[in-house]
mmCIF file of all heavy atoms in Angstrom:
data_model
loop_
_atom_site.group_PDB
_atom_site.id
_atom_site.type_symbol
_atom_site.label_atom_id
_atom_site.label_comp_id
_atom_site.label_asym_id
_atom_site.label_seq_id
_atom_site.Cartn_x
_atom_site.Cartn_y
_atom_site.Cartn_z
ATOM 1 N N TYR A 1 0.806 -1.213 0.002
ATOM 2 C CA TYR A 1 -0.007 -0.021 0.026
ATOM 3 C C TYR A 1 0.842 1.277 0.007
ATOM 4 O O TYR A 1 0.466 2.305 -0.471
ATOM 5 C CB TYR A 1 -0.945 -0.025 1.181
ATOM 6 C CG TYR A 1 -0.312 0.170 2.515
ATOM 7 C CD1 TYR A 1 -0.083 1.497 3.047
ATOM 8 C CD2 TYR A 1 0.058 -0.864 3.344
ATOM 9 C CE1 TYR A 1 0.516 1.672 4.319
ATOM 10 C CE2 TYR A 1 0.637 -0.682 4.580
ATOM 11 C CZ TYR A 1 0.852 0.588 5.046
ATOM 12 O OH TYR A 1 1.439 0.752 6.252
ATOM 13 N N GLU A 2 2.085 1.161 0.499
ATOM 14 C CA GLU A 2 2.964 2.314 0.497
ATOM 15 C C GLU A 2 3.514 2.629 -0.900
ATOM 16 O O GLU A 2 4.045 3.694 -1.160
ATOM 17 C CB GLU A 2 4.174 2.091 1.473
ATOM 18 C CG GLU A 2 3.709 1.884 2.935
ATOM 19 C CD GLU A 2 4.927 1.565 3.816
ATOM 20 O OE1 GLU A 2 5.587 0.546 3.627
ATOM 21 O OE2 GLU A 2 5.217 2.447 4.671
ATOM 22 N N LEU A 3 3.404 1.622 -1.774
ATOM 23 C CA LEU A 3 3.952 1.739 -3.105
ATOM 24 C C LEU A 3 2.855 2.023 -4.163
ATOM 25 O O LEU A 3 3.127 2.128 -5.377
ATOM 26 C CB LEU A 3 4.639 0.484 -3.538
ATOM 27 C CG LEU A 3 5.835 0.000 -2.606
ATOM 28 C CD1 LEU A 3 6.308 -1.375 -3.044
ATOM 29 C CD2 LEU A 3 6.969 1.013 -2.695
ATOM 30 N N ALA A 4 1.619 2.222 -3.663
ATOM 31 C CA ALA A 4 0.473 2.369 -4.622
ATOM 32 C C ALA A 4 0.572 3.508 -5.590
ATOM 33 O O ALA A 4 0.081 3.442 -6.706
ATOM 34 C CB ALA A 4 -0.802 2.481 -3.825
ATOM 35 N N ASP A 5 1.232 4.600 -5.201
ATOM 36 C CA ASP A 5 1.409 5.753 -6.103
ATOM 37 C C ASP A 5 2.729 5.586 -6.927
ATOM 38 O O ASP A 5 3.042 6.494 -7.669
ATOM 39 C CB ASP A 5 1.335 7.064 -5.351
ATOM 40 C CG ASP A 5 2.482 7.221 -4.330
ATOM 41 O OD1 ASP A 5 3.087 6.170 -3.925
ATOM 42 O OD2 ASP A 5 2.741 8.322 -3.885
ATOM 43 N N LYS A 6 3.450 4.492 -6.731
ATOM 44 C CA LYS A 6 4.661 4.284 -7.476
ATOM 45 C C LYS A 6 4.465 3.146 -8.521
ATOM 46 O O LYS A 6 4.844 3.217 -9.642
ATOM 47 C CB LYS A 6 5.839 3.861 -6.520
ATOM 48 C CG LYS A 6 6.119 4.859 -5.464
ATOM 49 C CD LYS A 6 6.728 6.132 -6.010
ATOM 50 C CE LYS A 6 7.239 7.057 -4.915
ATOM 51 N NZ LYS A 6 6.139 7.495 -3.975
ATOM 52 N N VAL A 7 3.833 2.068 -8.043
ATOM 53 C CA VAL A 7 3.590 0.908 -8.876
ATOM 54 C C VAL A 7 2.100 0.497 -8.754
ATOM 55 O O VAL A 7 1.610 0.252 -7.724
ATOM 56 C CB VAL A 7 4.416 -0.319 -8.466
ATOM 57 C CG1 VAL A 7 4.152 -1.472 -9.394
ATOM 58 C CG2 VAL A 7 5.921 0.055 -8.432
ATOM 59 N N GLY A 8 1.430 0.422 -9.923
ATOM 60 C CA GLY A 8 0.046 -0.089 -9.960
ATOM 61 C C GLY A 8 0.048 -1.366 -10.716
ATOM 62 O O GLY A 8 0.786 -1.563 -11.709
ATOM 63 N N MET A 9 -0.753 -2.351 -10.206
ATOM 64 C CA MET A 9 -0.777 -3.667 -10.856
ATOM 65 C C MET A 9 -2.191 -4.047 -11.230
ATOM 66 O O MET A 9 -3.133 -3.896 -10.499
ATOM 67 C CB MET A 9 -0.162 -4.738 -9.905
ATOM 68 C CG MET A 9 -0.119 -6.078 -10.567
ATOM 69 S SD MET A 9 1.009 -7.190 -9.703
ATOM 70 C CE MET A 9 0.670 -8.742 -10.560
ATOM 71 N N VAL A 10 -2.305 -4.507 -12.506
ATOM 72 C CA VAL A 10 -3.548 -5.042 -12.958
ATOM 73 C C VAL A 10 -3.411 -6.524 -13.217
ATOM 74 O O VAL A 10 -2.530 -6.979 -13.891
ATOM 75 C CB VAL A 10 -3.955 -4.352 -14.359
ATOM 76 C CG1 VAL A 10 -5.269 -4.948 -14.882
ATOM 77 C CG2 VAL A 10 -4.085 -2.838 -14.142
ATOM 78 N N PHE A 11 -4.359 -7.318 -12.610
ATOM 79 C CA PHE A 11 -4.257 -8.737 -12.658
ATOM 80 C C PHE A 11 -4.967 -9.349 -13.898
ATOM 81 O O PHE A 11 -5.703 -8.674 -14.578
ATOM 82 C CB PHE A 11 -4.866 -9.349 -11.397
ATOM 83 C CG PHE A 11 -4.174 -8.897 -10.104
ATOM 84 C CD1 PHE A 11 -4.669 -7.786 -9.379
ATOM 85 C CD2 PHE A 11 -3.027 -9.528 -9.687
ATOM 86 C CE1 PHE A 11 -4.026 -7.383 -8.236
ATOM 87 C CE2 PHE A 11 -2.364 -9.114 -8.529
ATOM 88 C CZ PHE A 11 -2.900 -8.043 -7.802
ATOM 89 N N GLN A 12 -4.616 -10.622 -14.118
ATOM 90 C CA GLN A 12 -5.166 -11.328 -15.256
ATOM 91 C C GLN A 12 -6.687 -11.403 -15.202
ATOM 92 O O GLN A 12 -7.393 -11.201 -16.208
ATOM 93 C CB GLN A 12 -4.571 -12.725 -15.337
ATOM 94 C CG GLN A 12 -5.144 -13.586 -16.432
ATOM 95 C CD GLN A 12 -4.526 -14.956 -16.533
ATOM 96 O OE1 GLN A 12 -3.367 -15.140 -16.041
ATOM 97 N NE2 GLN A 12 -5.185 -15.951 -17.111
ATOM 98 N N ASP A 13 -7.235 -11.648 -14.032
ATOM 99 C CA ASP A 13 -8.712 -11.755 -13.832
ATOM 100 C C ASP A 13 -9.200 -10.469 -13.150
ATOM 101 O O ASP A 13 -9.000 -10.299 -11.943
ATOM 102 C CB ASP A 13 -9.031 -13.005 -12.969
ATOM 103 C CG ASP A 13 -10.503 -13.124 -12.671
ATOM 104 O OD1 ASP A 13 -11.266 -12.407 -13.343
ATOM 105 O OD2 ASP A 13 -10.840 -13.932 -11.803
ATOM 106 N N PRO A 14 -9.805 -9.549 -13.854
ATOM 107 C CA PRO A 14 -10.242 -8.289 -13.264
ATOM 108 C C PRO A 14 -11.211 -8.476 -12.123
ATOM 109 O O PRO A 14 -11.258 -7.661 -11.231
ATOM 110 C CB PRO A 14 -10.828 -7.518 -14.462
ATOM 111 C CG PRO A 14 -11.204 -8.575 -15.455
ATOM 112 C CD PRO A 14 -10.208 -9.627 -15.326
ATOM 113 N N GLU A 15 -11.992 -9.533 -12.186
ATOM 114 C CA GLU A 15 -13.016 -9.736 -11.113
ATOM 115 C C GLU A 15 -12.342 -9.885 -9.758
ATOM 116 O O GLU A 15 -12.959 -9.574 -8.735
ATOM 117 C CB GLU A 15 -13.855 -10.970 -11.429
ATOM 118 C CG GLU A 15 -14.858 -10.737 -12.543
ATOM 119 C CD GLU A 15 -15.771 -11.926 -12.728
ATOM 120 O OE1 GLU A 15 -15.283 -12.981 -13.102
ATOM 121 O OE2 GLU A 15 -16.987 -11.788 -12.479
ATOM 122 N N SER A 16 -11.074 -10.328 -9.770
ATOM 123 C CA SER A 16 -10.402 -10.527 -8.483
ATOM 124 C C SER A 16 -10.018 -9.212 -7.778
ATOM 125 O O SER A 16 -9.719 -9.211 -6.576
ATOM 126 C CB SER A 16 -9.125 -11.365 -8.691
ATOM 127 O OG SER A 16 -8.190 -10.616 -9.484
ATOM 128 N N GLN A 17 -10.075 -8.085 -8.504
ATOM 129 C CA GLN A 17 -9.756 -6.836 -7.872
ATOM 130 C C GLN A 17 -10.884 -5.796 -7.980
ATOM 131 O O GLN A 17 -10.673 -4.652 -7.660
ATOM 132 C CB GLN A 17 -8.498 -6.244 -8.457
ATOM 133 C CG GLN A 17 -8.474 -5.938 -9.931
ATOM 134 C CD GLN A 17 -7.100 -5.547 -10.432
ATOM 135 O OE1 GLN A 17 -6.562 -6.171 -11.304
ATOM 136 N NE2 GLN A 17 -6.557 -4.444 -9.934
ATOM 137 N N LEU A 18 -12.084 -6.241 -8.366
ATOM 138 C CA LEU A 18 -13.249 -5.369 -8.401
ATOM 139 C C LEU A 18 -14.292 -5.909 -7.396
ATOM 140 O O LEU A 18 -14.720 -7.025 -7.486
ATOM 141 C CB LEU A 18 -13.874 -5.386 -9.803
ATOM 142 C CG LEU A 18 -12.991 -4.928 -10.967
ATOM 143 C CD1 LEU A 18 -13.723 -5.099 -12.311
ATOM 144 C CD2 LEU A 18 -12.483 -3.523 -10.751
ATOM 145 N N PHE A 19 -14.629 -5.022 -6.414
ATOM 146 C CA PHE A 19 -15.538 -5.527 -5.337
ATOM 147 C C PHE A 19 -16.498 -4.438 -4.879
ATOM 148 O O PHE A 19 -17.318 -4.716 -3.993
ATOM 149 C CB PHE A 19 -14.695 -5.983 -4.174
ATOM 150 C CG PHE A 19 -13.675 -5.026 -3.660
ATOM 151 C CD1 PHE A 19 -13.971 -4.085 -2.727
ATOM 152 C CD2 PHE A 19 -12.358 -5.038 -4.171
ATOM 153 C CE1 PHE A 19 -13.043 -3.178 -2.274
ATOM 154 C CE2 PHE A 19 -11.445 -4.137 -3.710
ATOM 155 C CZ PHE A 19 -11.739 -3.210 -2.759
ATOM 156 N N MET A 20 -16.433 -3.199 -5.379
ATOM 157 C CA MET A 20 -17.371 -2.177 -4.936
ATOM 158 C C MET A 20 -18.674 -2.272 -5.726
ATOM 159 O O MET A 20 -18.818 -3.043 -6.663
ATOM 160 C CB MET A 20 -16.736 -0.782 -5.117
ATOM 161 C CG MET A 20 -15.434 -0.574 -4.319
ATOM 162 S SD MET A 20 -15.687 -0.762 -2.536
ATOM 163 C CE MET A 20 -16.515 0.794 -2.182
ATOM 164 N N THR A 21 -19.707 -1.494 -5.290
ATOM 165 C CA THR A 21 -20.997 -1.638 -5.863
ATOM 166 C C THR A 21 -21.202 -0.939 -7.202
ATOM 167 O O THR A 21 -22.061 -1.252 -7.999
ATOM 168 C CB THR A 21 -22.086 -1.089 -4.894
ATOM 169 O OG1 THR A 21 -21.763 0.261 -4.563
ATOM 170 C CG2 THR A 21 -22.112 -1.950 -3.639
ATOM 171 N N THR A 22 -20.398 0.088 -7.509
ATOM 172 C CA THR A 22 -20.407 0.750 -8.786
ATOM 173 C C THR A 22 -19.011 0.989 -9.283
ATOM 174 O O THR A 22 -18.043 0.990 -8.498
ATOM 175 C CB THR A 22 -21.183 2.121 -8.704
ATOM 176 O OG1 THR A 22 -20.351 3.031 -7.943
ATOM 177 C CG2 THR A 22 -22.563 1.966 -8.086
ATOM 178 N N VAL A 23 -18.920 1.273 -10.560
ATOM 179 C CA VAL A 23 -17.657 1.620 -11.164
ATOM 180 C C VAL A 23 -17.050 2.848 -10.555
ATOM 181 O O VAL A 23 -15.839 2.930 -10.261
ATOM 182 C CB VAL A 23 -17.786 1.765 -12.697
ATOM 183 C CG1 VAL A 23 -16.572 2.413 -13.324
ATOM 184 C CG2 VAL A 23 -18.123 0.438 -13.405
ATOM 185 N N GLU A 24 -17.859 3.844 -10.378
ATOM 186 C CA GLU A 24 -17.393 5.131 -9.772
ATOM 187 C C GLU A 24 -16.767 4.893 -8.398
ATOM 188 O O GLU A 24 -15.707 5.433 -8.079
ATOM 189 C CB GLU A 24 -18.542 6.126 -9.679
ATOM 190 C CG GLU A 24 -18.082 7.527 -9.186
ATOM 191 C CD GLU A 24 -19.257 8.526 -9.258
ATOM 192 O OE1 GLU A 24 -20.329 8.183 -8.754
ATOM 193 O OE2 GLU A 24 -19.053 9.584 -9.835
ATOM 194 N N ARG A 25 -17.470 4.113 -7.575
ATOM 195 C CA ARG A 25 -16.943 3.788 -6.232
ATOM 196 C C ARG A 25 -15.673 2.955 -6.286
ATOM 197 O O ARG A 25 -14.797 3.092 -5.475
ATOM 198 C CB ARG A 25 -18.028 3.091 -5.407
ATOM 199 C CG ARG A 25 -19.175 4.003 -5.035
ATOM 200 C CD ARG A 25 -20.177 3.362 -4.137
ATOM 201 N NE ARG A 25 -21.244 4.195 -3.722
ATOM 202 C CZ ARG A 25 -22.272 3.867 -2.899
ATOM 203 N NH1 ARG A 25 -22.331 2.667 -2.445
ATOM 204 N NH2 ARG A 25 -23.186 4.733 -2.605
ATOM 205 N N GLU A 26 -15.621 2.065 -7.275
ATOM 206 C CA GLU A 26 -14.439 1.233 -7.476
ATOM 207 C C GLU A 26 -13.220 2.095 -7.755
ATOM 208 O O GLU A 26 -12.145 1.891 -7.122
ATOM 209 C CB GLU A 26 -14.651 0.284 -8.661
ATOM 210 C CG GLU A 26 -13.556 -0.774 -8.816
ATOM 211 C CD GLU A 26 -13.618 -1.772 -7.669
ATOM 212 O OE1 GLU A 26 -14.700 -2.326 -7.423
ATOM 213 O OE2 GLU A 26 -12.515 -2.033 -7.080
ATOM 214 N N ILE A 27 -13.337 3.083 -8.596
ATOM 215 C CA ILE A 27 -12.255 3.987 -8.889
ATOM 216 C C ILE A 27 -11.858 4.855 -7.702
ATOM 217 O O ILE A 27 -10.684 5.093 -7.474
ATOM 218 C CB ILE A 27 -12.529 4.826 -10.113
ATOM 219 C CG1 ILE A 27 -12.774 3.942 -11.358
ATOM 220 C CG2 ILE A 27 -11.478 5.859 -10.396
ATOM 221 C CD1 ILE A 27 -13.305 4.653 -12.569
ATOM 222 N N ALA A 28 -12.880 5.233 -6.933
ATOM 223 C CA ALA A 28 -12.632 6.138 -5.798
ATOM 224 C C ALA A 28 -12.006 5.402 -4.598
ATOM 225 O O ALA A 28 -11.369 6.019 -3.759
ATOM 226 C CB ALA A 28 -13.954 6.753 -5.356
ATOM 227 N N PHE A 29 -12.175 4.074 -4.563
ATOM 228 C CA PHE A 29 -11.740 3.319 -3.373
ATOM 229 C C PHE A 29 -10.246 3.504 -3.121
ATOM 230 O O PHE A 29 -9.824 3.790 -1.996
ATOM 231 C CB PHE A 29 -12.066 1.814 -3.543
ATOM 232 C CG PHE A 29 -11.609 0.978 -2.430
ATOM 233 C CD1 PHE A 29 -12.284 0.952 -1.228
ATOM 234 C CD2 PHE A 29 -10.449 0.183 -2.541
ATOM 235 C CE1 PHE A 29 -11.877 0.153 -0.168
ATOM 236 C CE2 PHE A 29 -9.996 -0.565 -1.474
ATOM 237 C CZ PHE A 29 -10.663 -0.613 -0.280
#
């Protein structure tokens, strides 16, 4: 979490990192 503004990672299965109720809230999280 300390590296979040240095390195961002996108996984093979997007469902594994999407868990909020809307797209807007997902981005804001």
Side-chain angles (χ1 to χ4, degrees):
Y1 71 86
E2 297 177 298
L3 302 172
D5 62 342
K6 304 292 188 300
V7 182
M9 183 162 173
V10 178
F11 299 95
Q12 178 177 336
D13 178 12
E15 286 185 295
S16 66
Q17 61 187 118
L18 301 177
F19 52 88
M20 300 299 285
T21 55
T22 69
V23 167
E24 185 174 51
R25 291 184 177 182
E26 189 69 52
I27 296 171
F29 178 77

